[in-house]
Amino acid sequence: MNPPHTQHASKAPGKTSPWTAATASTIGSVLEYYDFFVYGPMAALVFGAIFFPSGDPGLAAVLSLSTFAVGFLARPLGGVVIGHLGDRVGRKKMLLFTFFLTGLVTVGIGLLPTYSQIGVWAPIMLVSLRFLQGIGLGGEWGGAALLAVEHAPEAKRGFFGSLVQAGAPIGVILSSGVVAILTSTLSREELLAWGWRIPFLLSAILVVFGLVLRMKITETPDFEKAATKSAAKEKMPLVVALRRYPKQILAMIGVHVSDTTLGFMQGVFIIGFATTTLGISPTVALTANIASSITNLIITPIAGIIADRFGPRRILVTATAALALWAFPMFWLMETKSVAALFVVMSANGIIVGMLFSQQATLFAAVLDPKVRYTGMSIGFQVATVIGGGFGPLIAQALQNNAGGATWSISGYLMAVALIAMGCAIYLTSRKVQYVNTIPATPETVPAPQL
């Protein structure tokens, strides 16, 4: 059944166009994933030596990587706090704040003095900045997604929502390229002395460009419409979201865990597995990861267009089924130790992640009232990011260790994640879920996306 749509031939005078809003949103996603995939390698390669020097290199590495985890732990908190404010004061104000905070902190990390210069204050400052970065990133996605979706014509919200998600592979491509150039052109001594600062300082370019774009945008029509209604602003969006939409938020977590588990497992565990277990060159593994991001980038907007025509259910069910069926062959192919097989695996993973990720901005917004959307979406998205991204690679490593190096248990874990995500996607696209949009409707005729 096709839903009724509100068509917008052109933007109203003084209003932000859908393309401008989508571009301003996407730049935030680019910065988010650029920061993540720059910080990870630097934490593994550099930070142990310059921020946590000790006689035990293993301990230094653990302490360094723990700062990576701090950012994950801060994200749900940022989602709750900034989401609350975004539902109270508007999307634009909070998106300017999150982008400025994230960008300022990232550049600040690149300017930090080292342990040899100020002693123990260096790691303290690093952890503090990483925590603040997590706060900013935790509130970024929900607002960016709403900026694009709520400015988009009703009939094209799937496409414009997917553009926000396309920022992720762009960020991975940029960060992987910068890290690859640095590690291939600088010596270890140069990287430790000054080279590690370059990727963090380069993020200033993204920050300036993004802030200029976001200064020009207007508040979203959905928020403005909600604000004109009596008692429109909820005093406690978090409480209201959890009380009214607990099943929807849990389902959001279940859906998003799938792509974060596969994506972060690939970016961390599979690259390590390819280099240490399979003996493939790290440069080749990183290049394969870039190939994955390219296929992700290509499929994401295509999936958004298809969803506008046929609905999100078909995309999500197809993607989760593909992940479940692919979980075992993925490792069977990699274990051939063929470089070509690794590229096939990485590229296929990029397609699956792109399909899964492409639908989430639009679908998650559709099942929440505009008055609590920012908060509810941020909770679901960021909790899932911690579960899939923060723990996914660790779970994969632990499963492999317990299986004596075999990968069948990792495949079983991915299959279970896929099946749970499929059930959650079917629930979110079912008629049991009330869809909330800008179209006036009676309780009996609440418009729903195509199923």
Side-chain angles (χ1 to χ4, degrees):
M1 175 181 177
N2 295 339
H5 291 305
T6 303
Q7 301 293 339
H8 301 278
S10 61
K11 70 186 183 72
K15 293 294 183 180
T16 301
S17 74
W19 281 105
T20 301
T23 303
S25 300
T26 303
I27 193 68
S29 184
V30 172
L31 180 64
E32 174 181 356
Y33 282 83
Y34 175 88
D35 287 346
F36 173 84
F37 283 100
V38 159
Y39 192 97
M42 292 300 104
L45 297 173
V46 175
F47 288 172
I50 63 176
F51 287 106
F52 303 95
S54 69
D56 184 351
L59 175 60
V62 170
L63 291 173
S64 175
L65 290 173
S66 68
T67 65
F68 186 68
V70 167
F72 271 109
L73 296 176
R75 288 172 75 118
L77 177 60
V80 170
V81 174
I82 295 173
H84 167 89
L85 294 172
D87 283 325
R88 293 283 297 165
V89 304
R91 303 0 177 170
K92 177 180 177 178
K93 292 179 181 178
M94 298 318 301
L95 280 173
L96 285 171
F97 171 75
T98 59
F99 203 77
F100 181 77
L101 173 64
T102 302
L104 185 66
V105 167
T106 303
V107 173
I109 291 174
L111 296 173
L112 279 177
T114 64
Y115 187 92
S116 63
Q117 294 172 314
I118 62 171
V120 71
W121 285 106
I124 291 175
M125 292 172 68
L126 177 64
V127 171
S128 299
L129 288 179
R130 180 63 176 164
F131 185 82
L132 289 174
Q133 188 183 57
I135 294 290
L137 293 177
E140 168 67 29
W141 179 83
L146 291 179
L147 183 67
V149 171
E150 293 183 347
H151 270 294
E154 192 72 26
K156 296 183 179 180
R157 285 190 166 189
F159 170 68
F160 282 102
S162 72
L163 295 182
V164 181
Q165 314 299 66
I170 296 173
V172 174
I173 292 169
L174 290 177
S175 60
S176 297
V178 170
V179 172
I181 291 171
L182 288 176
T183 55
S184 63
T185 57
L186 299 181
S187 66
R188 171 70 175 171
E189 291 72 23
E190 291 172 328
L191 192 63
L192 290 175
W194 53 269
W196 67 271
R197 300 181 185 274
I198 293 175
F200 296 100
L201 298 178
L202 284 177
S203 69
I205 299 173
L206 290 174
V207 173
V208 172
F209 180 59
L211 284 176
V212 170
L213 278 176
R214 290 189 174 185
M215 287 292 291
K216 295 179 179 179
I217 60 174
T218 58
E219 188 53 80
T220 70
D222 284 17
F223 180 82
E224 289 184 334
K225 184 175 291 186
T228 60
K229 298 178 182 178
S230 59
K233 295 180 180 179
E234 300 287 357
K235 293 182 178 180
M236 293 297 293
L238 173 62
V239 175
V240 175
L242 293 176
R243 186 178 70 243
R244 293 183 186 173
Y245 304 102
K247 294 180 181 179
Q248 287 89 331
I249 292 174
L250 285 174
M252 291 177 198
I253 294 172
V255 170
H256 186 47
V257 162
S258 61
D259 58 274
T260 55
T261 298
L262 179 59
F264 283 79
M265 188 182 291
Q266 173 173 294
V268 180
F269 173 79
I270 291 179
I271 288 179
F273 176 77
T275 56
T276 59
T277 303
L278 305 182
I280 294 174
S281 162
T283 302
V284 172
L286 286 171
T287 304
N289 197 42
I290 293 176
S292 173
S293 297
I294 292 173
T295 59
N296 185 337
L297 178 60
I298 292 171
I299 197 65
T300 298
I302 294 174
I305 293 171
I306 295 172
D308 281 328
R309 177 66 180 86
F310 298 105
R313 173 179 287 192
R314 296 184 186 183
I315 297 291
L316 289 172
V317 169
T318 299
T320 51
L323 177 56
L325 295 173
W326 177 239
F328 282 91
M330 174 173 68
F331 283 99
W332 294 341
L333 275 174
M334 283 193 292
E335 287 167 355
T336 65
K337 300 184 179 181
S338 163
V339 171
L342 178 63
F343 271 82
V344 169
V345 167
M346 294 292 216
S347 298
N349 287 350
I351 292 173
I352 294 173
V353 169
M355 292 176 67
L356 289 168
F357 200 38
S358 68
Q359 305 304 298
Q360 293 172 24
T362 306
L363 180 59
F364 292 0
V367 300
L368 297 173
D369 188 289
K371 293 181 288 186
V372 297
R373 271 182 188 164
Y374 203 149
T375 304
M377 289 175 65
S378 296
I379 295 171
F381 189 88
Q382 300 304 339
V383 170
T385 299
V386 173
I387 296 172
F391 294 102
L394 294 176
I395 292 172
Q397 188 64 62
L399 289 172
Q400 185 189 31
N401 293 343
N402 290 336
T407 59
W408 61 266
S409 57
I410 303 174
S411 297
Y413 172 64
L414 280 174
M415 182 176 288
V417 168
L419 294 176
I420 292 171
M422 182 185 293
C424 292
I426 291 172
Y427 171 74
L428 282 178
T429 55
S430 72
R431 299 195 181 280
K432 294 180 181 179
V433 180
Q434 178 171 327
Y435 291 82
V436 185
N437 59 23
T438 58
I439 305 170
T442 64
E444 293 77 18
T445 60
V446 175
Q450 305 168 63
L451 303 180

